[in-house]
Amino acid sequence: MGGAGGFNTALTRPWGPAALLLLAAASTSAEGQTVPLANASLAILPHEVDLQVGDHFTLNLTLSGEFEGCVNVSFQQTKEVVDLPPPLLLCDGSQGDWWDVVINTTYNGKATLTAQVDPPGVVESRDAFALVSVMTNPSIDVAADVLGWLYTIAWDVSFLPQIYRNWHRKSVMGLSFDFLTLNFIGFSSYFIFNMGLFWIDEIQAEYFLRHPRSVLHVRLNDVIFPLYAVLCTAVQIIQCFFLQRGPGQRVSITCRVIASVMVVSEVVGCILVPLVDSILWLDLLYYLSYIKLAVTCIKYFPQLWENYRQQNTEGWSIWQVILDFTGGSLSLLQMFLLAGNYDDWFSVLTDPAKLGLGLVSVLFDIMFFIQHYCLYRHPGVKANTASSLQLVGNDDMSQSGSYVTHHL
């Protein structure tokens, strides 16, 4: 096991004589002549490394293509997290030969480790990188993973209480149709965004062309969750057609205008991408993700207003709010735990989507808590009082007096 200091470079080749040649070349002065290469490329695997301070890891360098002579390879990192090995002079790298380089970690943090080839511009080195994440304590990382599962489960389950409440009451009175409309558009856009990055090769190629030294972190669960959210929201919308509604309960004109602008702009984007060379499908997907963020910022306002107008929260499931608040809080806690464990606080500010969605959700959930548990804790008091007063007015004076005295 390598310590925190120093470095250890292990060179391995499938043929013994070639390995000896490489070892001799690596010990040669960098002033040796190099022959320009043609049709050659350098790659590093794996592209992602996650480990603890004091550990070591192995990078595999593959130099492929038809060439003769030698090439100088040096390493750089965006943040000091490892001890960099000395420059290597790689020779006879034809036929996809490879080398293993063992590197020791020194500090916690996240950095991009890249291999620079000299002479520049001769060997393609787009894939010669590794994203290195060095943690302080693996237990914190495990706790963050557990939090990730917990907030995912909380958000998944949060859609069910409202569906059950609508069915149990046989009514959707008090539920904002504007909220359902915006929620459906937001999660549909988010689903298309993740689906495109996960399944469509052309969009993935556009992503790596724009971000050559990065890793695409969209996973299958990132596709399944918004699809599940779309289906649950669709069930609630269908309930609105068959269950009891209040008088005038419909999607507002303001929401119709906002929703129309969003949907029309998405359709226009689908038309422009094949016609305009400067606009990529990736750009359209990013636009869809911005729509999701915008929807999250505004979708709760209609329900807050509906609760205020009704002076109660009867049509709004508080368990949905509790679960959403739990998911948002755990998501933020996970973000800060990982930032501290990897000394990567800058990533919190550079991930506005996750940070913004978590903060906005928690803020609105607190407002719903205030409405449900403070402002409209006894929603039937006003109605019952008005009904009692009306009964008093219909009786004679003596009867009303005794009635009021009894009820007060």
Side-chain angles (χ1 to χ4, degrees):
M1 299 292 293
F7 60 85
N8 180 19
T9 304
L11 303 172
T12 309
R13 291 278 302 278
W15 303 283
L20 295 177
L21 175 62
L22 174 62
L23 187 60
S27 62
T28 306
S29 172
E31 297 178 357
Q33 295 182 351
T34 58
V35 179
L37 309 180
N39 299 322
S41 63
L42 180 69
I44 288 180
L45 288 176
H47 284 318
E48 283 188 285
V49 182
D50 200 348
L51 62 169
Q52 187 179 357
V53 174
D55 290 344
H56 68 268
F57 62 98
T58 302
L59 292 180
N60 176 266
L61 279 71
T62 301
L63 191 60
S64 59
E66 298 296 332
F67 64 93
E68 295 180 356
C70 301
V71 61
N72 290 300
V73 177
S74 59
F75 296 90
Q76 297 180 357
Q77 55 185 333
T78 56
K79 181 180 180 180
E80 187 177 356
V81 297
V82 302
D83 275 333
L84 295 177
L88 300 177
L89 187 63
L90 306 183
C91 301
D92 294 336
S94 60
Q95 306 303 322
D97 293 340
W98 53 270
W99 300 263
D100 285 341
V101 178
V102 180
I103 302 178
N104 297 319
T105 62
T106 53
Y107 304 103
N108 65 324
K110 292 188 176 183
T112 301
L113 181 64
T114 57
Q116 305 295 325
V117 180
D118 186 33
V122 177
V123 175
E124 172 61 49
S125 58
R126 178 185 302 179
D127 292 332
F129 75 95
L131 304 180
V132 182
S133 300
V134 184
M135 72 186 78
T136 304
N137 190 334
S139 299
I140 298 178
D141 210 52
V142 172
D145 289 338
V146 173
L147 290 178
W149 282 104
L150 290 178
Y151 78 67
T152 300
I153 294 173
W155 275 339
D156 286 343
V157 179
S158 69
F159 291 94
L160 302 180
Q162 187 63 54
I163 296 176
Y164 173 78
R165 186 169 184 81
N166 295 341
W167 173 81
H168 181 72
R169 296 172 66 232
K170 300 298 187 289
S171 170
V172 292
M173 295 179 62
L175 179 61
S176 172
F177 289 3
D178 290 3
F179 168 78
L180 294 180
T181 302
L182 295 173
N183 215 25
F184 185 82
I185 294 175
F187 278 113
S188 297
S189 302
Y190 192 52
F191 166 68
I192 297 173
F193 168 77
N194 286 315
M195 180 189 66
L197 287 174
F198 183 77
W199 268 317
I200 302 178
D201 294 336
E202 179 183 352
I203 296 178
Q204 291 178 351
E206 292 175 356
Y207 176 85
F208 288 117
L209 184 62
R210 182 170 296 180
H211 308 285
R213 289 180 174 174
S214 62
V215 177
L216 192 57
H217 288 104
V218 178
R219 301 293 183 260
L220 181 60
N221 63 291
D222 297 317
V223 180
I224 298 300
F225 170 72
L227 176 60
Y228 165 80
V230 168
L231 295 177
C232 289
T233 306
V235 170
Q236 296 180 40
I237 293 175
I238 293 174
Q239 288 180 321
C240 294
F241 287 97
F242 295 97
L243 302 181
Q244 181 185 6
R245 292 184 289 176
Q249 189 178 12
R250 60 176 61 91
V251 180
S252 68
I253 296 178
T254 301
C255 180
R256 293 180 186 182
V257 172
I258 295 174
S260 298
V261 170
M262 289 180 176
V263 174
V264 170
S265 63
E266 293 176 0
V267 173
V268 171
C270 293
I271 297 174
L272 290 178
V273 170
L275 300 178
V276 182
D277 293 337
S278 59
I279 302 179
L280 305 176
W281 288 110
L282 180 64
D283 298 319
L284 179 60
L285 292 188
Y286 280 142
Y287 177 71
L288 295 179
S289 69
Y290 300 149
I291 286 181
K292 165 58 180 171
L293 183 59
V295 164
T296 303
C297 293
I298 66 175
K299 70 178 182 180
Y300 293 108
F301 281 107
Q303 188 62 53
L304 284 170
W305 172 255
E306 183 69 16
N307 294 344
Y308 168 77
R309 190 176 67 85
Q310 298 285 341
Q311 293 292 293
N312 63 63
T313 58
E314 288 298 312
W316 183 241
S317 173
I318 192 61
W319 281 105
Q320 173 177 262
V321 180
I322 293 174
L323 290 168
D324 186 64
F325 179 82
T326 301
S329 301
L330 294 180
S331 174
L332 293 174
L333 179 59
Q334 182 202 49
M335 178 180 289
F336 286 105
L337 276 179
L338 291 175
N341 199 28
Y342 289 93
D343 190 24
D344 190 31
W345 297 102
F346 185 70
S347 65
V348 175
L349 301 177
T350 55
D351 190 0
K354 185 174 182 178
L355 179 63
L357 292 176
L359 289 176
V360 168
S361 297
V362 168
L363 176 62
F364 278 105
D365 289 334
I366 292 175
M367 294 181 183
F368 285 123
F369 286 145
I370 294 174
Q371 284 187 325
H372 184 81
Y373 292 109
C374 299
L375 299 180
Y376 315 131
R377 187 175 181 178
H378 304 291
V381 171
K382 291 185 179 180
N384 293 336
T385 302
S387 177
S388 298
L389 292 176
Q390 185 177 4
L391 290 174
V392 170
N394 291 334
D395 291 333
D396 56 61
M397 186 63 67
S398 60
Q399 291 175 333
S400 64
S402 61
Y403 182 86
V404 172
T405 303
H406 174 72
H407 282 277
L408 289 178

